[in-house]
């Protein structure tokens, strides 16, 4: 379903992605681990062209974009294939939880108000926020805001949900409720790529783990391969620091 080939990205002289190759099957849950600054967020952002790669090809489903031959229409089509859950939630502050979730359905998917509301209510129920639909972000805890962020992504029914460190802005006591919601969605067979520093969570939830360092994929495999039988010294050192 997803095929990333030789993906490259630099910011000035800083080469952040140095030829990344990753394939993801439909329904697979992939966690990307790695030290800060290793390029994980940039990789996610290249998948929907929030950042334009300098080299390589991104394929999601039937849309394939080569960095050398990009047109706007293709980018719009590619963006519709995924939905991102951001570290800092990125909710509209002047809209309620319900309105935040409805926004993409109305504006991007051009659905009518009735249908958008039905879908939004269903996903807000799924993330446990049925009783908060009329609350504004400022009236919600960080965990609740992030669950709205997840509901918003889920509502669009994308081929893949991209999670960019979804719990790293949260107070420790609020992390669990968000991870629980992500685990619930994972069980429903959604394809997901999750950048996270939550090692235990990644270990439990993932079909496959990718360890990145310094712009390259150092090692990938099952949670057992990475957490127990890791082959690379860099992986071992990182896990030692994190666990
Ligand atoms: P990670 O998610 O693994 O922490 P990032 O992808 O956020 O890594 O960052 C990788 C590197 O790219 C860092 O050195 C960061 O400073 C740099 N970087 C990320 N985004 C930008 C940007 N918009 N402009 C310049 N440098 C950036």
């Amino acid at each position: 379903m997803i095929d990333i080939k030789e993906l490259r990205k630099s910011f000035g002289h800083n080469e952040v992605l140095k030829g990344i190759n990753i394939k993801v099957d439909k329904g697979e849950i992939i966690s990307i681990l790695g030290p800060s600054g290793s390029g994980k967020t940039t990789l996610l952002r290249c998948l929907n062209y929030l950042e334009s790669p300098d080299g390589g090809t991104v394929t999601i489903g039937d849309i394939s974009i080569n960095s050398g031959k990009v047109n706007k229409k293709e980018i719009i089509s590619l963006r519709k294939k995924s939905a991102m859950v951001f570290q800092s939630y990125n909710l509209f502050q002047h809209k309620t939880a319900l309105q935040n979730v409805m926004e993409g359905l109305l504006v991007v998917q051009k659905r009518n108000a009735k249908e958008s509301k039905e879908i939004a209510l269903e996903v807000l129920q799924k993330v446990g926020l049925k009783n908060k639909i009329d609350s504004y972000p400022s009236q919600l805890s960080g965990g609740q805001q992030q669950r709205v962020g997840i509901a918003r992504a889920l509502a669009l029914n994308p081929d893949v949900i991209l999670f960019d460190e979804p719990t790293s802005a949260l107070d420790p006591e609020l992390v669990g409720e968000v991870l629980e919601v992500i685990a619930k969605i994972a069980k429903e067979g959604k394809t997901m790529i999750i950048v996270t520093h939550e090692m235990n969570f990644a270990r439990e939830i993932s079909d496959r783990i990718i360890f990145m360092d310094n712009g390259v994929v150092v090692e990938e495999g099952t949670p057992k391969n990475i957490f127990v039988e890791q082959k690379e010294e860099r992986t071992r050192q990182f896990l030692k620091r994190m666990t």
Side-chain angles (χ1 to χ4, degrees):
M1 154 162 305
I2 300 173
D3 193 359
I4 303 163
K5 277 201 189 116
E6 286 302 319
L7 197 71
R8 292 180 180 276
K9 175 71 182 173
S10 297
F11 294 106
H13 294 298
N14 185 8
E15 194 181 20
V16 174
L17 300 176
K18 302 175 180 171
I20 301 281
N21 294 287
I22 295 174
K23 282 186 186 191
V24 182
D25 287 334
K26 192 168 190 305
E28 241 190 327
I29 316 290
I30 305 283
S31 291
I32 303 181
L33 311 182
S36 264
S38 54
K40 305 179 300 295
T41 294
T42 305
L43 171 62
L44 280 196
R45 291 172 63 85
C46 283
L47 291 187
N48 52 19
Y49 269 70
L50 281 178
E51 294 288 355
S52 298
D54 303 322
T57 308
V58 173
T59 305
I60 306 182
D62 56 353
I63 303 292
S64 195
I65 304 189
N66 184 297
S67 67
K69 295 181 255 153
V70 183
N71 73 53
K72 255 197 166 153
K73 263 195 175 158
E74 278 184 334
I75 290 184
I76 292 168
S77 303
L78 186 79
R79 287 200 178 134
K80 288 185 180 160
K81 299 277 179 189
S82 67
M84 185 102 135
V85 174
F86 298 90
Q87 189 175 344
S88 48
Y89 331 131
N90 289 17
L91 301 178
F92 292 113
Q93 294 300 315
H94 61 285
K95 290 185 191 290
T96 64
L98 181 66
Q99 289 166 341
N100 265 285
V101 177
M102 285 175 66
E103 182 73 9
L105 296 164
L106 293 166
V107 176
V108 180
Q109 297 193 343
K110 313 256 186 266
R111 292 176 189 268
N112 65 39
K114 181 170 176 282
E115 195 185 9
S116 299
K117 189 170 177 184
E118 275 169 18
I119 295 170
L121 287 173
E122 190 185 315
V123 291
L124 280 162
Q125 170 146 31
K126 191 171 273 181
V127 302
L129 290 177
K130 195 73 190 268
N131 58 348
K132 296 285 180 190
I133 59 171
D134 292 324
S135 300
Y136 289 87
S138 61
Q139 299 169 318
L140 298 171
S141 72
Q144 289 167 337
Q145 289 183 62
Q146 188 58 296
R147 285 189 278 148
V148 175
I150 293 170
R152 178 179 56 183
L154 205 53
L156 300 172
N157 194 25
D159 287 357
V160 54
I161 303 186
L162 310 172
F163 292 89
D164 186 13
E165 297 190 26
T167 60
S168 60
L170 295 173
D171 291 334
E173 72 271 19
L174 302 177
V175 168
E177 67 187 66
V178 171
L179 296 183
E180 254 173 53
V181 166
I182 299 174
K184 184 172 167 186
I185 301 166
K187 283 208 187 90
E188 292 175 2
K190 201 82 194 160
T191 311
M192 312 202 304
I193 303 181
I194 309 166
V195 171
T196 183
H197 292 293
E198 297 288 336
M199 296 296 129
N200 289 332
F201 177 69
R203 188 172 180 163
E204 279 168 27
I205 197 180
S206 309
D207 297 310
R208 192 148 49 94
I209 293 188
I210 292 174
F211 174 66
M212 273 181 74
D213 191 13
N214 203 13
V216 299
V217 172
V218 173
E219 188 166 0
E220 64 174 286
T222 62
K224 187 163 174 245
N225 293 152
I226 298 297
F227 282 97
V228 185
E229 307 162 339
Q230 68 284 108
K231 294 195 177 74
E232 300 291 332
E233 185 57 27
R234 272 196 278 178
T235 314
R236 197 166 303 136
Q237 290 300 330
F238 171 76
L239 291 172
K240 217 163 123 186
R241 284 202 305 276
M242 295 299 287
T243 50

